[in-house]
Amino acid sequence: MAAHNNLGKWGEQQAAEYLQRKGYRICHRNWRMGHRDLDITALTPDGGTLAIVEVKTRSHVDYATPEESVDWRKMRNLAVAANAYVRRYQLQCDIRFDVLSVVGDGSRAEIDHIENAFVPPMM
């Protein structure tokens, strides 16, 4: 597997562990709908909100932060996948979109969790 894939898997594992330490209940990881996916879906600690968490992992931030790579296309794709997810599981709760950036070298991680990072564009 390519090094960037390994770093991405490591980052998603760090993100899931971080969320669990904060009291979130992980529902799914890498949920797929066709070519779209949701990195992590998790219920907030109070159980009232489903967080759709986009995880961005980088080894360094010399050029840009991980969250800067979540552009309008990615937001739209996340919204389409989240809509399918909500319909599939017939959810009746609030939904928010978070971005969780992981910066590290595979041994230690610096994590920044941005709750309500964006409101998806209208479709």
Side-chain angles (χ1 to χ4, degrees):
M1 184 179 287
H4 71 277
N5 289 337
N6 287 335
L7 185 65
K9 282 182 168 269
W10 172 81
E12 286 191 14
Q13 182 62 35
Q14 297 302 306
E17 290 172 7
Y18 168 87
L19 290 169
Q20 288 173 323
R21 284 193 306 272
K22 297 292 185 183
Y24 287 75
R25 185 172 66 83
I26 305 295
C27 300
H28 289 97
R29 291 178 58 183
N30 297 307
W31 187 86
R32 299 195 68 77
M33 182 202 79
H35 67 279
R36 295 180 173 104
D37 73 315
L38 301 175
D39 291 337
I40 297 174
T41 60
L43 287 173
T44 55
D46 67 5
T49 302
L50 177 72
I52 305 295
V53 183
E54 176 65 13
V55 179
K56 291 297 183 183
T57 306
R58 299 290 185 270
S59 57
H60 56 77
V61 291
D62 292 347
Y63 302 107
T65 61
E67 61 272 14
E68 289 175 318
S69 65
V70 181
D71 62 10
W72 68 271
R73 279 189 196 101
K74 183 63 178 177
M75 290 178 201
R76 184 184 64 209
N77 285 334
L78 288 168
V80 169
N83 187 42
Y85 184 89
V86 167
R87 283 186 316 209
R88 166 71 174 87
Y89 297 104
Q90 300 176 351
L91 300 177
Q92 300 290 323
C93 60
D94 291 334
I95 298 170
R96 73 172 197 227
F97 292 85
D98 295 0
V99 175
L100 202 150
S101 73
V102 180
V103 178
D105 57 10
S107 62
R108 68 173 184 80
E110 183 178 318
I111 295 175
D112 185 20
H113 182 191
I114 305 167
E115 297 179 5
N116 281 315
F118 62 89
V119 174
M122 298 296 287
M123 301 192 292

